[in-house]
Amino acid sequence: MGAPSASIVDREADALLPTYPRYPVEFVSGRGARLVDADGREYLDFLSGLAVTSLGHSHPAVAAAVADQAARLVHVSNLYYTAPQVDLAERLRATLGWPDAKAFLCNSGAEANEAAIKLARRHGKARDPDKVGVVALRGGFHGRTLAALALTGNPAKHAPYQPLGDWVTHVPHDDAAALVAAVDDRTCAVWVEAVQGEGGVRPVPDEVLRAARAACDRVGALLVCDEVQTGVGRLGAWYGWQTTPVEPDVVCLAKALANGLPIGAVVARGAAASAFSTGDHASTFGGGPVVCAAALAVLETMGRDGLVERARHAGEGLAGALWSLADGHDLATGVRGRGLLQALTLREPVAPRVTSEALGRGLVVNAVTPDAVRLAPPLIVGDDEITEMTGLLGAALVAVGVPS
Ligand SMILES: Cc1ncc(COP(=O)(O)O)c(C=O)c1O
C-alpha cells in the first residue's frame, strides 16, 4: 500500500476536527473502477466512496456536464428559476414512475431526511396537531444531523447527543407485529430502507414492508423510504422500493445521484406532494445548476447505457463470487444484500482487519459492521473486475484466517 506522506497525516490531525478514522492512504485520482494513490499505486474500487460514484470515477459525461454548467452559471439562489433544477425534478419523477410527484432538492442524505421529516409533520399536523410521531427501524441509518440522528436506529450514536426528543419509536427491522403495534393515530410517518446499508447490508423483510404500508394506510401516515444508499440503480432497479412489494409515498435520495457531487432530494407523490407550502423549507445551495447538471448527466447515462440492467446482472455475478468465497474460506459464513450492495459475513468480528488486508492488496472495500465486509462497486463494474476482486478478497481472508 502506498503509505501517505507523513505530512498529510500530521497536517490533517492538526487542522481537522478528529471525526473520521482514516485508512492510511491518500487517493489522488480515479477512472472507472480504479483509484490511484499518491505513490501512483492502483486500487480496484469496490466501495464507490460509500455507494456514491456509481458511474465510476471521472465519468466523461459528468465531467463535461459540470464543466459546461460551471462555465455558464454556478449559483443564482432559489429566488429565481434555473432550468437544470426543473429538468432534474421532471427526470426523477419519470424514473420513479410517479407522474404527480414533486421534488425538493438539497445537498446530502441527512438533509433529504430532514426535509422529509418536516414534510411528514406538515402532512400529519394538517390532519391532527398531535400527529408528529415517527416509527423507524432498529439498524436503520438516516444521517448525522440531530433529527436524522433521532431516526437512526442505533442507540450508541444517540448517546453523546441526548436529548433527541421522544418523537421516534424504534422497532426491530424484522418484526412486523411490533411495527404494527407501534403505529397509532399520532404517527405521521413510518421510515424504512429496502436494504439497511449502514445497518450491515440487511434487506428488510417483505412482510415488514407490507405491514408498514398497511399501517400507514390505516392511520393516514406517510411511508418514507430512505433510498440514499439503495436508490439510483444500486439494487438492480432504479429505486430500492421497486425490488420490494410496496410503494412508498416519499423517497429520500442523495449519494449516487450526482456521482459524487453533493446533492440530496426528497420526492413525494399523492397527498404528500402538496404537504409543503411556499416558505416551509429552503436551502441556499439546494438544486444549484452545477449539481443538477451532474445529476441529469448521471440519469441520462444510466438510461442510455442500460446501467440498471447492468447492475442487476453484475449483482448476480457479485453475489455468486462472494458465495464462492464463503464456501471456500472458514472465516466467511455467508452473503447478504441485493444487486450491487452486498456484504460478506464473517465468523469473527475481524472485518476491519480483512478490509485492511484487502487495501494492502489493492482492493477497496469496507467493514460495515465488525463482522461484515461491504461491497458496493460502481454499476459499470466488469465481470473481469469481479473475478479480480474475488482473488484479492480471498487472499485477504487467508491472511487474516480464523483467530484461534
Ligand atoms: C440510508 C442513508 N440515509 C442517510 C444517509 C446520510 O447521508 P449523508 O451522509 O449524505 O448525510 C446515509 C449515509 O450513509 C444513508 O446510508
Side-chain angles (χ1 to χ4, degrees), residues 179-180 183 208-221 223 246:
L179 186 144
V180 170
V183 174
V208 172
L209 296 172
R210 279 202 199 91
R213 180 69 273 175
C216 286
D217 293 344
R218 170 167 56 84
V219 303
L223 181 61
V246 301

Side-chain angles (χ1 to χ4, degrees), residues 108-111 113 141-143 193 198 226 228-229 254-255:
S108 69
E111 277 186 49
N113 278 276
F141 184 86
H142 305 293
E193 293 160 87
E198 298 308 299
D226 182 343
V228 165
Q229 191 153 159
K255 284 197 183 284

Side-chain angles (χ1 to χ4, degrees), residues 371-385:
D371 63 357
V373 176
R374 171 172 44 186
L375 298 98
L379 311 189
I380 47 106
V381 68
D383 294 347
D384 51 338
E385 288 166 331

